[in-house]
């Protein structure tokens, strides 16, 4: 008998696959169930190295299908949930907000209901851990950091759907005593990130010598965290936090988009033996993202103080590892950017 069973949703995606790998390897006595619908963003190739582990089961399912979820909860009796499955890309949420309402809000509610109905006679020893984003807090000016008490003020359909799901999780805690934790993290980067997101998109375009599409003036600021530091924080929070708590996760690592893009150009010019300055010439300013949040920055003092987490990766070192991973995994990248992604790229960037 495993000592714990954990349902990880969205485990075939970017952050989810790093989390599934960490838990399979770190906790051989747990059983890890990875439930994922394998949308355009889900890819079982992300988990090839661990898919045969004896403490792992993959389940293909859609969290918008309540009936299927109920059957699965009855069959597997998941004791704990770490919920990552979501539509995660802001630009797609601007084109198709309803898809975000369905997965991020209705899907989360379906999971909450299944979990509540299975354990409500005794929640002792069970946990619903909801993975969320700093985007729920909206945008910062030049100064200040988001804390756990910053009022929610989402500006995109994506962040509004994540904010709504956070509120439902908290409300189930208040109304049904459902034991929950929420963490809100800043921008992640690292291996296996889908190339619609800033860093892998720029890496791919630099390699292919395509234009580098910069929204607006390029001075928008993000607080970047290496994905392995995020999943380590999730591990520590899952094992040590008190139910009912929320934590912000971030590395105090703010960069303007143009600075990030220039760093990537420099790293790739060096690695590809191009003359210094070659790739920067590809920078191309384009129309801004509607509702574009100017700046995100996270205060993770609570997490550091109560749980003892701090990030292990320096940004420039993390970027080197990431760029090298994409260079070494061109097959993975080429597979992804064929097919549907081409259509998306064409309509998003008019190319
Ligand atoms: P991702 O888009 O790479 O992966 C999402 C995964 O969810 C995919 O495997 C996809 O197949 C699955 N999925 C989507 N809809 C589903 C459905 N209806 N049913 C079942 N599975 C479904 O996302 P990511 O970047 O790894 O983000 C994971 C989570 O972390 C999300 O909840 C996101 O909001 C949150 N988050 C992401 C970041 C970031 O920088 N990427 C930062 C903070 C929080
Ligand atoms: O802050 C956490 C969030 O970070 C997560 O919740 C989201 O799931 C994740 O997608 C990410 O959201 P962002 O919108 O910040 O990430 P994205 O990579 O889409 O964009 C980062 C910045 O780069 C943002 O200011 C927009 C800009 N950008 C992005 C793309 C794709 C460009 O200038 N050009 C581009 O082509």
């Amino acid at each position: 008998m495993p000592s714990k069973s954990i349902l990880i949703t969205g485990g075939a995606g970017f952050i989810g696959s790093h989390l599934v790998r960490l838990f399979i390897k770190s906790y051989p006595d747990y059983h890890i169930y990875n439930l994922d619908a394998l949308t355009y963003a889900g890819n079982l190739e992300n988990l090839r190295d661990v898919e045969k582990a004896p403490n792992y089961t993959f389940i293909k399912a859609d969290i918008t299908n309540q009936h299927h979820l109920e059957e699965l909860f009855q069959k597997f009796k998941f004791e704990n949930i770490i919920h990552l499955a979501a539509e995660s890309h802001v630009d797609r949420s601007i084109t198709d907000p309803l898809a975000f309402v369905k997965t991020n809000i209705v899907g989360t509610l379906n999971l909450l209901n299944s979990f509540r109905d299975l354990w409500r006679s005794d929640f002792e020893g069970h946990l619903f851990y909801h993975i969320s984003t700093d985007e729920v807090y909206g945008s910062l000016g030049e100064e200040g950091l988001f804390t756990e008490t910053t009022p929610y003020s989402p500006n995109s359909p994506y962040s509004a759907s994540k904010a709504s799901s956070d509120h439902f999780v908290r409300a189930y805690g208040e109304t049904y005593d459902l034991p929950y934790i929420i963490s809100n993290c800043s921008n992640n980067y690292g291996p296996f990130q889908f190339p619609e997101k800033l860093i892998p998109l720029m890496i791919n375009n630099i390699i292919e010598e395509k234009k580098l599409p910069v929204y607006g003036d390029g001075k928008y600021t993000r607080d970047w965290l290496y994905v392995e530091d995020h999943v380590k924080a999730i591990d520590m929070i899952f094992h040590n936090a008190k139910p009912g708590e929320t934590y912000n996760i971030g590395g105090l690592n703010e960069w303007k988009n143009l600075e990030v893009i220039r760093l990537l150009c420099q790293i790739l010019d060096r690695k590809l033996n191009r003359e210094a300055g070659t790739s920067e010439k590809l920078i191309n300013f384009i129309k801004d993202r509607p509702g574009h949040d100017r700046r995100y920055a996270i205060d993770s003092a609570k997490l550091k103080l109560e749980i003892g987490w701090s990030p292990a990766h320096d940004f420039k070192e993390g970027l080197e590892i990431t760029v090298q991973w994409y260079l070494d995994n061109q097959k993975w990248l080429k597979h992804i950017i064929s097919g549907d992604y081409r259509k998306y790229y064409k309509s998003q960037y008019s190319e």
Side-chain angles (χ1 to χ4, degrees):
M1 264 300 264
S3 65
K4 268 188 209 308
S5 72
I6 306 177
L7 171 66
I8 297 180
T9 69
F14 165 49
I15 301 170
S17 61
H18 286 274
L19 185 68
V20 164
R21 179 176 297 100
L22 178 71
F23 270 61
I24 288 176
K25 290 191 169 175
S26 309
Y27 305 105
D29 56 326
Y30 293 0
H31 199 91
I32 308 304
Y33 296 91
N34 169 14
L35 183 154
D36 199 297
L38 300 181
T39 67
Y40 79 92
N43 184 355
L44 288 177
E45 284 179 37
N46 299 358
L47 289 165
R48 279 288 174 253
D49 55 325
V50 288
E51 67 186 2
K52 294 202 169 69
N55 61 337
Y56 172 67
T57 304
F58 173 71
I59 302 167
K60 185 171 185 315
D62 188 329
I63 59 169
T64 64
N65 185 338
Q66 174 68 33
H67 180 66
H68 192 195
L69 282 187
E70 274 165 21
E71 282 175 4
L72 292 167
F73 273 72
Q74 282 310 319
K75 179 169 175 196
F76 293 108
K77 308 252 183 301
F78 311 116
E79 293 166 341
N80 303 278
I81 302 185
I82 309 181
H83 173 38
L84 293 92
E87 288 292 341
S88 69
H89 192 41
V90 173
D91 294 326
R92 290 185 193 255
S93 81
I94 295 167
T95 322
D96 183 10
L98 194 58
F100 286 68
V101 171
K102 286 182 184 154
T103 288
N104 299 359
I105 306 178
V106 178
T108 301
L109 260 168
N110 288 341
L111 283 167
L112 284 165
N113 285 336
S114 299
F115 182 76
R116 179 200 59 193
D117 294 349
L118 184 62
W119 299 115
R120 71 170 134 197
S121 60
D122 184 8
F123 278 127
E124 187 61 37
H126 303 289
L127 182 67
F128 190 109
Y129 180 0
H130 180 59
I131 304 301
S132 193
T133 169
D134 61 355
E135 300 203 8
V136 298
Y137 299 123
S139 186
L140 289 164
E142 299 274 300
E143 300 288 317
L145 301 171
F146 296 132
T147 71
E148 288 79 0
T149 55
T150 302
Y152 276 28
S153 182
N155 291 317
S156 72
Y158 163 69
S159 52
S161 68
K162 291 296 290 187
S164 173
S165 65
D166 291 11
H167 290 320
F168 271 107
V169 173
R170 196 186 148 278
Y172 270 56
E174 293 295 316
T175 307
Y176 306 108
D177 290 328
L178 184 140
Y180 75 90
I181 293 171
I182 301 172
S183 58
N184 298 80
C185 189
S186 62
N187 285 64
N188 285 216
Y189 70 100
F192 298 111
Q193 187 166 32
F194 195 84
E196 65 192 351
K197 307 282 165 50
L198 180 76
I199 289 182
L201 185 145
M202 294 299 163
I203 293 174
N204 184 47
N205 284 17
I206 297 169
I207 295 173
E208 295 198 341
E209 299 176 84
K210 280 169 68 172
K211 285 190 217 162
L212 308 180
V214 180
Y215 297 158
D217 64 2
K219 292 185 182 148
Y220 292 82
T221 301
R222 297 291 182 263
D223 182 353
W224 292 97
L225 184 69
Y226 191 63
V227 61
E228 286 181 6
D229 285 326
H230 184 192
V231 299
K232 184 68 198 159
I234 295 174
D235 178 3
M236 293 174 76
I237 291 169
F238 176 81
H239 286 99
N240 300 300
K242 274 206 319 278
E245 292 291 336
T246 67
Y247 291 91
N248 280 355
I249 309 174
L252 285 180
N253 180 44
E254 290 182 52
W255 294 82
K256 292 190 170 57
N257 294 338
L258 261 182
E259 295 172 330
V260 174
I261 294 164
R262 290 204 171 108
L263 278 174
L264 293 170
C265 288
Q266 286 158 20
I267 296 174
L268 275 156
D269 280 349
R270 172 164 40 80
K271 287 188 185 283
L272 297 172
N273 296 318
R274 292 180 186 160
E275 196 184 325
T278 307
S279 301
E280 279 194 24
K281 293 189 191 124
L282 298 167
I283 289 175
N284 180 34
F285 292 91
I286 63 169
K287 197 159 81 55
D288 212 348
R289 171 187 279 176
H292 199 168
D293 288 330
R294 192 64 173 166
R295 175 173 164 256
Y296 303 144
I298 278 271
D299 179 352
S300 50
K302 179 180 173 191
L303 179 59
K304 196 169 183 183
L305 201 74
E306 291 184 11
I307 308 288
W309 173 89
S310 53
H313 293 83
D314 159 78
F315 187 53
K316 289 189 180 167
E317 171 214 335
L319 277 187
E320 288 275 347
I321 301 172
T322 304
V323 168
Q324 193 57 50
W325 186 87
Y326 281 92
L327 285 171
D328 293 342
N329 289 274
Q330 285 288 295
K331 209 168 127 205
W332 180 93
L333 192 59
K334 294 287 173 269
H335 189 182
I336 280 178
I337 59 181
S338 60
D340 277 355
Y341 183 66
R342 275 188 207 284
K343 275 188 235 143
Y344 163 79
Y345 196 91
K346 220 169 161 211
S347 77
Q348 177 67 20
Y349 298 100
S350 317
E351 274 179 35

